[in-house]
Amino acid sequence: MLLDLSEEHKEHLAFLPQVDSAVVAEFGRIAVEFLRRGSNPKIYEGAARKLSVSSDTVQHGVEGLIYLLTESSKLMISELDFQDSVFVLGFSEELNKLLLQLYLDNRKEIRTILSELAPDLPSYHSLEWRLDVQLASRSLRQQIKPSVTIKLHLNQNGDHNTQVLQTDPATLLHLVQQLEQALEEMKTNHCRRVVRNIK
Amino acid sequence: MELSEYVQKGFQMLADPGSFDSNAFTLLLRAAFQSLLDAQADEAVLDHPDLKHIDPVVLKHCHAAAATYILEAGKQRADKSTLSTSLEDCKFDRERIELFCTEYQNNKNSLEILLGSIGRSLPHITDVSWRLEYQIKTNQLHKMYRPAYLVTLNVENTDSRSHPEISFSCNMEQLQDLVGKLKDASKSLERATQL
C-alpha cells in the first residue's frame, strides 16, 4: 500500500533536500519529540534563523515529516512500500535512506502514541487487596464477618484513578472463576481461528 | 439489658393477664417480629380480631415496646438466660417468658441478618461481566490485531439505591495480573479460615 501524498504535503517536504542530512536528521528528531510531547514553536524560530529561511518553511518541513511518519506508522506500511512512496518526491538516494531509517526506528513508538488517541475507557493498572473481619457494628455485636477490601488502580487519559471496593469470600471466588473463564476463552478454537485468519 | 421507661411501661401492660390474655400476648409478639422482619409489613399487623378488644393506644405502646426490646436483644446477641432474667424483672410469668423465648429463637437468625446488614460499608462488588474483543483498527491506527478485554464490576452501595458500575479495559497480561492477585487473596482467605 502506497502513501497518498497531497501536493501541499509534497511542497512542504520539498524543503528537505535543500538542507544537508544532518539537518534533516535533526528535523526528524524534533518531529518525534513533538509527537511525544507536543509542538514547541520556538524551536522553529531558532532553526529558521540558523538556516536563513522563514520559520514557516521550517514549520512546514517538520510538520511534513511528522505527517509522513504518522501516516506510515498508522498503516504499518512495509519498507518497500515506504521507499516507493517516498520515491515520487524525487529525493536523493541518501535522503531516502535517512527517511526510511527514521520511519523504521520510530515506528513502534509512534504506534504506541497513536493508540492513545483511541476512544478511551479506563484501563487496568493494578490491584491491592486486604483481608478484613468485621467484629461488631453499631447495630450488631459479636460478629465474625470476613470480607476482602480491594483497591483498584485505573488509568484514563493519563489520570490515575483509584476505587476502593469490598466483597465477600463467596463473591471473590465467583469473580476468580468468571475471569479465569475469560482468559481461557482466548485459547479456544474459535478465537484461535479468528486470530489466524484476520491479518 | 437496660430498658427505657417507655419499654418498661409497655411490658408492664404486656405482662398483665388482665390486659392481654395468652392468645393476645402471642399475637402481639408475633406482630412485633413481623413488623421488624417482614419487608411488606405495615400497620395492618395489629389488625387481628382477637386484638380488637384492646385499647389501640395500649396496643401500639406494647407493640413498640416489644419491637424495641427485640432489637436491643438482637443487637447484644442475648441468650436465653439473659432474656429470662430481664423478662422476669418485668414481672412476666413463666409461661410468657417461655413463649417469648420460643418466638425469639424462631426469629433469631432473620433478626441477626437484618441487624448485620445495617450500617455503612464500602461499595460492595456483587458480580462481574466481561467481554473479549479482537481489535483490528481505529481511525488513528490500522493493523492492530490484538485481543482486549472489557471488564465490568457490578457494585452495590449501602444505600442500595445506587448501583454504579465500574468498567475498565485490559489486555491479556493485565487480566492475568488481576486474576493472579484475586487468587492470592482467596488463597489467603482459605488459609486464614483454617487457623
Side-chain angles (χ1 to χ4, degrees), chain B residues 135-168:
Chain B
Q135 292 176 343
I136 301 177
K137 61 159 73 162
T138 69
N139 62 336
Q140 305 286 359
L141 196 61
H142 294 199
K143 299 191 190 168
M144 288 169 77
Y145 307 138
R146 60 181 187 209
Y149 287 94
L150 179 64
V151 176
T152 300
L153 295 171
N154 299 89
V155 170
E156 217 175 71
N157 273 328
T158 40
D159 57 15
S160 264
R161 220 147 296 150
S162 57
H163 289 262
E165 271 181 5
I166 298 178
S167 291
F168 57 89

Side-chain angles (χ1 to χ4, degrees), chain B residues 22-148:
Chain B
S22 247
N23 189 28
F25 176 83
T26 312
L27 287 170
L28 184 97
L29 204 52
R30 294 225 175 109
F33 277 105
Q34 197 180 346
S35 299
L36 291 171
L37 300 173
D38 181 356
Q40 260 85 43
D42 55 18
E43 312 83 50
V45 293
L46 293 175
D47 271 350
H48 195 279
D50 290 350
L51 293 172
K52 286 261 185 308
H53 63 280
I54 305 175
D55 177 6
V57 174
V58 169
L59 211 50
K60 285 203 175 142
H61 188 152
C62 296
H63 176 254
T68 310
Y69 181 87
I70 291 165
L71 284 176
E72 190 61 27
K75 172 171 109 182
Q76 307 218 3
R77 305 263 191 171
D79 57 11
K80 186 160 181 198
S81 83
T82 314
L83 286 177
S84 298
T85 316
S86 84
L87 290 174
E88 261 170 37
D89 292 343
C90 296
K91 313 279 191 289
F92 277 60
D93 61 42
R94 221 22 13 228
E95 190 202 344
R96 295 197 176 196
I97 294 180
E98 277 306 311
L99 278 167
F100 194 103
C101 289
T102 310
E103 278 305 310
Y104 186 82
Q105 198 53 40
N106 289 342
N107 290 289
K108 196 162 105 97
N109 279 340
S110 311
L111 183 64
E112 282 169 8
I113 291 173
L114 176 70
L115 289 171
S117 70
I118 298 172
R120 296 281 165 85
S121 74
L122 294 166
H124 192 100
I125 303 176
T126 52
D127 202 356
V128 67
S129 43
W130 54 267
R131 186 180 87 192
L132 171 59
E133 61 189 22
Y134 195 58
Q135 292 176 343
I136 301 177
K137 61 159 73 162
T138 69
N139 62 336
Q140 305 286 359
L141 196 61
H142 294 199
K143 299 191 190 168
M144 288 169 77
Y145 307 138
R146 60 181 187 209

Side-chain angles (χ1 to χ4, degrees), chain A residues 9 20 39 57 68 83 123 129 142 182 193:
Chain A
H9 190 190
D20 52 61
S39 67
T57 312
L68 180 68
Q83 284 171 317
S123 69
W129 56 266
Q142 295 172 43
R193 232 178 289 135

